[in-house]
Structures are given as C-alpha cells and as structure tokens.
Amino acid sequence: MQHGKSYFFVGIGGSGMMPLAMILAGQGASVAGSDRSLDAGRLPAKFDDLARRGVALFPQDGSGITSPDQIVVASAAIEASVPDMVRAAELGNARMTRAELNAQLFNAAPQSIGVAGTSGKSTVTGMIGWILRACGRDPTVMNGAVMKNFVSPQAPFASALVGAGGAYVSEVDESDGSIALYRPGIAVLNNVSLDHMPMAQLIELFGAFIAKAGKAVVNLDNGEGAALAMMQPADRLISFAIESEADLVARNIEQQRFSAAFDLHARGEALVRVTLQVPGRHNVSNALAAIGAARAAGVPLDDAVRAIAGFAGLKRRFELVGEANGVAVIDDFGHNPDKIAATLDTLHAFPGRLLLLFQPHGYGPLKVMRSELVAMFAEKLAADDLLTLPDPVYQGGTVKREVTSADIVTDVAASGRLALHIPEREAAAAHLAAQARPGDRIVVMGARDDTLSLLAQSMLDALHRG
C-alpha cells in the first residue's frame, strides 16, 4: 500500500504502536510521534531505532501536531488532557485508534492472516511470518513482540516486517473489542481463557472473528475453542490438537530445556518430525497453529516444517537472559493465568527451584483475574518455589486500586505457597537475587513494561557480582 498521508502517533513507543509506525514508514508514509517514555529518557535505543527509520520524534507537549491534515493515532488509554490530544482537538485533526489503523491495512491486503486468542498470539504470528518469509512469500508482519529472526544491527526492535508480498500477518487483540474490526482471510484461534473481560464476551468476540474467515485454524485442546470450531463449516476449518483427533496432531513430544520436538500427523500426509528452538507443550500447540495457517496460505507441509525449525523465538517469551553461578535468569511475558501456568509447567519439567518476580500489568486486570491467578499459583507453584509481587505497572492517569499485589500475595500464601509482596520491584529483584542458589531459575514476568527486560539483566549482573 502506498501512502500520501501524514500520521502522528501519540505513545509511539508502545508495543502495539511502534510496529505499526514501522510498517507505515516502510510503506512510504510520513510518520511522526511522541511518547512519555521518550520525555522521561527511558529506553532511548528504541526511539533511536524509530528515528533511523525516518520517524520524526517530538516531546509530548503538542509541538509535533502542526497541521490539521495529520492523522492522529492514539490508543483509548491516552487521556484527552494530554497536550498532543488538546492540540489535535484545537486543529480538528482526524483521529484513529491503533486497532482501526491496523485493521485498515490488514483488510486491504490481498491475503490477510489474523492470529487471535488469549495466549500465544505473538509467538504464532512470529512463526507464521518466519515460515512465509523463509518460503519466499515476503510478508508484512505486525507483531507485539520483537521477532529474533528479523533482528539485525539495522533493526534491533524488529516487531514488524515490511514485505512486498501480498500477505499481511497480524496478531489481533480482543482486550478492547477491536477484534471486531478485522476481516481475516485466514483466522487463527489459539485458545479462549480469562484475561481482560468476562468469558461470555470473549467467546462472542472470538466466535464472530473466525466466522468471517475463509479458513479458520482452531485449537481443539481448548474447550471453548473446540465448541466454536463445531460451529464452523467443515470445509472452512483446520483443527489442531496434541495427542487427540484433529487435522493436525502432535504426538511423541520430546521436551528439552530450551527446545522441543514432536511427530506431526497431518490428514492426507506422511508423518513428519518437527523440531523447534522454543520449549514447552504450549509452543508445540503454537507450532501446530502456525503450520495450519501456512497450509491455509498455500505453503506445502514439508516446506512449513523445514522453515519452522529455524524459528528463533521472540524477545521476552521464555527468553534466557543468561546464567551466573549456576542460576539461570529468564525473561517472560507471562501475565495472565494461562500464560504463567504454561511457563511454570515448562520449567517444572526439569529440576530446580523457581524464584518468580511477577509484576501485574495493571490494577484492572488484577481485579478481573484475582481468583484465577490465585488458584493457578496455588496449583502450579512447587513447595519450595518463591513468588514475589511488586506493585502493578502504572503509567499515569486515574485508576481504581480495588485489588492490589498485596491481596494476591495474601491469598496465595493462605494456600500454603511461599509468596511475598515487595512493593518496589528493584527491592523484589534484589531479594530474589540474594536468595538464589545453584540450580535455581529466576523468572521475571509481566506485560506492558519494556523495562522489565532491563530488570532481568540487572538481576543477572547482580548474580555475576555474587
């Protein structure tokens, strides 16, 4: 798509905003933006990368919005009182949300592949993007995480890929209901589980999403997903599952600490062995989803299997930061019950105590997920694991603090597991590093805060100093 328009992103450093800005800039649009993290001097390398791509950066003081012809892109979380929004209102600029703009690009693509679900979206999006790229399809990929395969000195924050082919691969967010804007040619549904909104609402949104698709790739291991699959016409459905009946089935899974392999039984095809550079049963399921989407896009099975073996994973998705004095430090995006449980299951497949620092990604999600989070930690933590919760991430604005990290810790501790509330995350990190002994795994978990990666690195540095 060629653009003669000018866009201004308010909050351009956000995980959903930055890749979209990269795509527009790569397609020739005039792109500028502001971010409070830029004003605060946080994560300068991220903004340096945007500047290298021709994106003009401004303080978040209204100075970057100079013409009513600029289209102002801002999430619903941006308050009307932010100076950029005040200036846009004065000039009468057209406004779009991130999701509206992404859906516009997605729906215009000759081949649109949308990845939905409560967990695994970014990984499956990255896997599909890598398969298509490795098979010569030159896709455009919109992701919420940095894809290691596409990282280079020229692109250190590769959460987007701009290609000349017809495919547009994007993760699709349900948290704000914007999934309804997308018209997928191929829809992937990984799973349906509690995260940002009540289950009935999630089922309705995901059901409508896959019903619009020419082909729907659906996980039968997830109860709600399987129920939605039953409503799809058979000729539009590609199902997948682990060790049960489906169009794509994984059997004979072999798990390693940071990799996995399995036998793939695909209807109408000879059995093939799949190897992955990412660990855990959840990534076996993610691989099935990606292979299913690639097949729906016309990629032969053998080509898809060969390509996915080269998928290097994503930043902050079970990422080994390093090891020091016999202690491994892992950076992970886990922030809802299913994501955290998948990480804990993967780690508990091998010996060693877990020292967890989980920073909740907001007070609202903490309220919605309280009982499910507590039940998950009570079930999944081993007797000698230690969980610490600092206070939730807070990026400014008004928010109700009805459920806090202290409430979660009280409930988890009441179940007999070891849990501590340490309000300041630096203090929580220092406590875990001090507690660590050889054989332990330290895991930093949370979303909506890129500085968690810096925290994980600081813990590794502390271990090295020992």
Side-chain angles (χ1 to χ4, degrees):
M1 181 179 289
Q2 297 301 310
H3 297 277
K5 299 175 181 177
S6 177
Y7 296 86
F8 190 92
F9 284 71
V10 183
I12 196 167
S15 62
M17 297 280 269
M18 185 172 175
L20 194 52
M22 290 176 175
I23 289 171
L24 285 172
Q27 292 180 343
S30 173
V31 181
S34 66
D35 198 283
R36 62 183 122 203
S37 291
L38 174 66
D39 293 350
R42 294 196 299 268
L43 301 166
K46 173 188 286 190
F47 298 104
D48 290 345
D49 186 32
L50 282 168
R52 279 195 299 271
R53 295 170 186 265
V55 175
L57 298 170
F58 294 86
Q60 203 166 79
D61 60 4
S63 62
I65 300 176
T66 57
S67 165
D69 295 331
Q70 289 170 289
I71 298 170
V72 174
V73 184
S75 73
I78 299 293
E79 301 91 351
S81 60
V82 170
D84 285 341
M85 304 311 295
V86 173
R87 182 62 175 155
E90 291 172 352
L91 292 179
N93 294 75
R95 177 176 169 177
M96 298 183 81
T97 65
R98 178 201 62 80
E100 287 169 343
L101 180 53
N102 188 43
Q104 185 179 86
L105 299 172
F106 179 91
N107 294 338
Q111 184 174 67
S112 55
I113 305 174
V115 182
T118 315
S119 302
K121 292 189 291 290
S122 297
T123 297
V124 174
T125 299
M127 286 177 166
I128 296 169
W130 174 245
I131 292 170
L132 295 180
R133 174 70 173 270
C135 293
R137 299 296 184 92
D138 200 15
T140 294
V141 184
M142 159 73 194
N143 206 333
V146 173
M147 298 171 283
K148 292 181 181 179
N149 287 95
F150 305 125
V151 168
S152 69
Q154 294 73 38
F157 295 90
S159 54
L161 183 69
V162 183
Y168 192 103
V169 186
S170 179
E171 64 171 292
V172 175
D173 188 19
E174 81 288 345
S175 65
D176 58 359
S178 61
I179 188 173
L181 299 171
Y182 295 83
R183 299 191 302 273
I186 299 168
V188 178
L189 180 58
N190 291 338
N191 42 59
V192 184
S193 62
L194 195 67
D195 194 342
H196 297 92
M197 60 180 64
M199 184 62 75
Q201 195 173 350
L202 286 172
I203 291 171
E204 181 180 351
L205 286 169
F206 287 134
F209 176 70
I210 64 172
K212 289 185 284 190
K215 286 283 187 182
V217 183
V218 183
N219 182 6
L220 299 190
D221 289 330
N222 175 258
E224 287 75 14
L228 290 172
M230 300 257 314
M231 301 167 66
Q232 284 287 114
D235 63 340
R236 288 170 49 198
L237 177 68
I238 297 175
S239 60
F240 64 92
I242 294 176
E243 295 171 352
S244 60
E245 285 304 309
D247 296 317
L248 298 170
V249 181
R251 303 188 193 279
N252 192 23
I253 297 171
E254 177 187 356
Q255 296 203 56
Q256 301 294 331
R257 287 179 182 270
F258 293 96
S259 63
F262 62 92
D263 290 338
L264 174 58
H265 299 257
R267 282 207 176 106
E269 303 271 2
L271 181 149
V272 61
R273 189 72 174 167
V274 179
T275 59
L276 303 175
Q277 294 183 46
V278 288
R281 286 175 67 92
H282 63 295
N283 275 320
V284 170
S285 183
N286 289 338
L288 292 174
I291 291 169
R295 292 191 84 197
V299 176
L301 181 66
D302 286 347
D303 291 348
V305 168
R306 269 194 300 273
I308 206 168
F311 176 69
L314 308 178
K315 293 283 189 181
R316 297 216 66 236
R317 300 314 191 267
F318 204 96
E319 181 181 11
L320 178 65
V321 181
E323 298 183 64
N325 300 320
V327 179
V329 178
I330 294 166
D331 188 16
D332 191 69
F333 191 67
H335 62 276
N336 66 35
D338 276 10
K339 284 185 171 77
I340 297 171
T343 295
L344 298 188
D345 284 345
T346 300
L347 287 162
H348 279 140
F350 300 93
R353 185 174 63 146
L354 304 184
L355 305 179
L356 309 177
L357 188 154
F358 168 49
Q359 177 181 271
H361 61 293
Y363 288 93
L366 211 53
K367 179 182 177 182
V368 171
M369 297 186 293
R370 177 177 183 170
S371 60
E372 287 78 11
L373 270 174
V374 171
M376 180 275 299
F377 280 126
E379 177 188 354
K380 297 295 184 180
L381 289 172
D384 59 349
D385 292 341
L386 173 60
L387 170 68
T388 63
L389 266 74
D391 289 336
V393 62
Y394 175 66
Q395 304 282 16
T398 57
V399 63
K400 293 182 179 178
R401 305 186 181 196
E402 298 175 49
V403 177
T404 68
S405 293
D407 295 324
I408 303 299
V409 163
T410 298
D411 293 350
V412 172
S415 75
R417 297 308 185 204
L418 300 176
L420 295 172
H421 172 227
I422 303 177
E424 296 294 329
R425 72 177 197 183
E426 287 75 14
H431 180 76
L432 290 186
Q435 295 290 314
R437 57 179 184 254
D440 289 348
R441 283 79 54 83
I442 293 176
V443 190
V444 176
M445 310 179 93
R448 295 183 183 169
D449 186 350
D450 291 344
T451 64
L452 285 170
S453 294
L454 303 179
L455 184 71
Q457 182 63 51
S458 74
M459 296 173 80
L460 181 65
D461 294 342
L463 292 169
H464 275 299
R465 292 192 297 269

